[in-house]
Amino acid sequence: MLDKAFSGFSVDDVDAARRFYGDVLGLPVRGDDLLWLDVPGTTGVLVYPKGDAHEPASYTVLNFPVRDVPGTVASLRERGVAFERYEGTPVETDDDFVFRGGGPLIAWFRDPAGNVLSVIQDDDA
């Protein structure tokens, strides 16, 4: 009965989201007013407009598993992505913007709408 699902989140500016997810992150993006991110291994992720009513998610809306978190952070920074620096918190990040305090390596960044995303260590990625 319930054999498929997809996640979604809002943005305030669909064009900015299209450029960020498509051009900066390199994901296949389709749609005009409603965007679909064609993320491998998923049925797709819906990005929908909320305009001025948008509030950035207070949690990580997308996690991208990668083999090399520090290398991916460096590569994305070269493409203009700003990573979050969490100082004095349980998830404190180092000078490379990577959390190394237990569990998989992880680094967080935001999309143009302020939604939190991450790259997370996955040796099978």
Side-chain angles (χ1 to χ4, degrees), residues 14-95:
V14 171
D15 291 330
R18 180 183 294 107
R19 287 188 301 275
F20 179 76
Y21 288 100
D23 298 340
V24 177
L25 299 186
L27 294 172
V29 178
R30 57 188 162 86
D32 294 319
D33 294 330
L34 295 175
L35 298 182
W36 283 97
L37 307 179
D38 291 325
V39 180
T42 71
T43 57
V45 177
L46 177 66
V47 177
Y48 57 92
K50 270 187 105 175
D52 292 340
H54 168 72
E55 291 186 26
S58 61
Y59 54 89
T60 308
V61 297
L62 280 177
N63 296 284
F64 295 97
V66 298
R67 285 185 184 267
D68 177 11
V69 170
T72 301
V73 168
S75 177
L76 289 173
R77 289 186 71 214
E78 288 175 3
R79 300 184 84 166
V81 175
F83 278 79
E84 295 295 297
R85 184 64 189 245
Y86 298 123
E87 295 180 289
T89 71
V91 292
E92 184 164 343
T93 54
D94 62 16
D95 291 340

Side-chain angles (χ1 to χ4, degrees), residues 95-107:
D95 291 340
D96 294 326
F97 304 94
V98 177
F99 170 71
R100 300 173 194 263
L105 299 182
I106 187 167

